[in-house]
Amino acid sequence: MQIIFDCSEAAIKKAAQALIGGNLVAFPTETVYGLGADAMNEKAVCRLYSVKARPKNHPVIVHISSINKLGIWTADVPDYAIKLARKFWPGPLTLILKRSGLVEDYITGGQDKVGIRVPNQPVALELLKQFEQLGGIGIAAPSANKFGAVSPTSAVATQEEIGAFLGAEDLVLDGGQCLIGIESTIVDCTKYRPEILRPGAVTIEMVENTTKLPLALNLSKSDVKTSGLLQTHYSPKAKVVLDQNPEAGDGFISMASLPTPKGVMRLASPTSIDEFARELYVAFRAADVRGLKKIVVIQPEGGGLAIAIRDRLRKAASGK
Ligand code: TXA
Ligand code: MG
């Protein structure tokens, strides 16, 4: 495994060639780092699953360079999904759509629908462009962490997380720190109205305002349904505890307005919700590097991205 620190056009071309050759390439996106494989290469995708130690029935998101490539992967795309793609791609939005005849079970975990995203990060977009110029049509990329663990948001975190499991020819592209810091919003577009499966930086209000459709049942603005997705996920090694008073020796994450009690290790002091999302996984990793046993997090209030943060926190807290 090699980390590429200087992601010049020539270096990204080599990475695209590595993908075409059946190797794995971890790359930055605006949300988290992804572990990429040529989506049409079953052997490469299988190796991706084994590096992550991920169960076979878990579908992966296919990344494409633009909305123009959507038709290759999907069928019967509803109008509201096109509106979402036009509005938010490239961006932190994954659309679940009926799959085309080309899509194999090893991508979708046997389901008849496929997850597609156009990421908004210059290195990722250049990689997709070069990969498509070489004849590729999509890069399968789950978050570049071990199954159930915290998604990495930098190249170094990616290397620490999975570097030991990658092969000699595999690459990690360093595109700096991820700007959003938590995974994309996932919207199921296979029914007559959208359903949010995983909240993210494209918020519930944005989806409603763009589609002009009410979201599917079971979903209020504070309680997002996560059907098909595990409740236990995104967990650091330390135990995550929500909305309690931290004790001496604990790690502590909250908005900057709350003071740090004596003897407690402050891991993040965000001054905005965007900063909270950007720093959350970095703080989780810092706690594990320091060998902390417990992290206390005071959940941020409000709608929008705060809903996505609370979703990840709930899952991290139910991990142990
Ligand atoms: O921000 C992101 O989405 C990152 C970056 C790398 O793009 N990727 C990511 O992938 O978070 P992953 O595999 O860690 O999480 C994707 C989630 C999984 O929980 C998976 O079950 C769900 O998306 N998913 C993917 N395809 C699906 C499908 N066809 N139907 C239902 N859920 C799907
Ligand atoms: Mg993941």
Side-chain angles (χ1 to χ4, degrees):
M1 191 270 316
Q2 198 192 341
I3 294 199
I4 310 295
F5 294 104
D6 170 24
C7 289
S8 62
E9 241 178 83
I12 295 176
K13 186 169 181 186
K14 280 202 182 126
Q17 285 164 339
L19 282 172
I20 294 284
N23 300 296
L24 304 183
V25 175
F27 62 94
T29 80
E30 77 281 33
T31 58
V32 299
Y33 273 65
L35 178 60
D38 179 353
M40 293 305 284
N41 183 331
E42 183 169 5
K43 238 173 96 183
V45 176
C46 282
R47 199 155 70 76
L48 190 159
Y49 274 75
S50 77
V51 167
K52 276 184 65 83
R54 188 185 221 215
K56 280 267 161 4
N57 59 354
H58 261 252
V60 285
I61 298 171
V62 176
H63 295 68
I64 56 177
S65 66
S66 87
I67 190 175
N68 299 333
K69 312 281 175 181
L70 187 59
I72 302 176
W73 292 96
T74 59
D76 305 336
V77 179
D79 282 350
Y80 73 81
I82 301 279
K83 282 186 191 155
L84 288 170
R86 286 221 175 101
K87 175 90 180 171
F88 297 110
W89 280 354
L93 174 70
T94 297
L95 299 179
I96 307 292
L97 294 158
K98 197 173 158 207
R99 74 187 201 183
S100 73
L102 177 109
V103 186
E104 303 271 356
D105 282 345
Y106 65 81
I107 293 290
T108 69
Q111 302 188 65
D112 59 359
K113 46 197 187 169
V114 62
I116 308 284
R117 178 160 110 85
V118 181
N120 187 17
Q121 208 282 352
V123 173
L125 285 170
E126 182 65 24
L127 180 66
L128 283 160
K129 195 177 108 193
Q130 302 259 10
F131 176 74
E132 287 172 2
Q133 275 170 11
L134 295 171
I137 55 173
I139 301 178
S143 52
N145 51 281
K146 282 286 189 182
F147 184 67
V150 177
S151 303
T153 55
S154 69
V156 169
T158 300
Q159 183 191 25
E160 284 167 5
E161 181 71 25
I162 55 164
F165 306 92
L166 293 174
E169 308 294 314
D170 298 333
L171 300 173
V172 176
L173 296 179
D174 185 355
Q177 191 69 32
C178 299
L179 286 180
I180 292 176
I182 62 173
E183 304 81 357
S184 63
T185 306
I186 302 181
V187 183
D188 186 341
C189 301
T190 59
K191 300 180 195 109
Y192 72 98
R193 58 181 177 179
E195 178 172 17
I196 294 191
L197 301 182
R198 180 174 73 184
V202 171
T203 64
I204 296 168
E205 288 76 11
M206 292 177 191
V207 172
E208 280 180 335
N209 290 342
T210 304
T211 61
K212 306 272 188 279
L213 291 170
L215 294 172
L217 286 174
N218 290 333
L219 198 138
S220 73
K221 289 196 176 0
S222 60
D223 177 28
V224 172
K225 189 168 167 248
T226 49
S227 82
L229 303 176
L230 291 182
Q231 288 303 328
T232 302
H233 227 115
Y234 315 108
S235 303
K237 293 190 183 71
K239 185 182 165 68
V240 176
V241 172
L242 304 180
D243 301 331
Q244 289 185 8
N245 286 325
E247 295 160 355
D250 289 349
F252 185 48
I253 302 171
S254 80
M255 295 296 282
S257 50
L258 290 181
T260 311
K262 215 171 161 211
V264 165
M265 181 169 289
R266 189 67 174 236
L267 296 166
S269 310
T271 56
S272 67
I273 296 297
D274 285 2
E275 223 177 283
F276 203 121
R278 190 155 55 235
E279 292 182 1
L280 181 63
Y281 292 167
V282 179
F284 277 176
R285 272 177 200 284
D288 283 348
V289 166
R290 292 179 173 135
L292 299 188
K293 295 270 181 304
K294 191 168 121 204
I295 308 169
V296 175
V297 189
I298 310 298
Q299 299 190 74
E301 290 173 2
L305 185 57
I307 292 176
I309 295 171
R310 293 197 296 272
D311 168 76
R312 304 307 191 277
L313 287 174
R314 265 200 302 275
K315 287 174 181 155
S318 63
K320 306 258 168 4

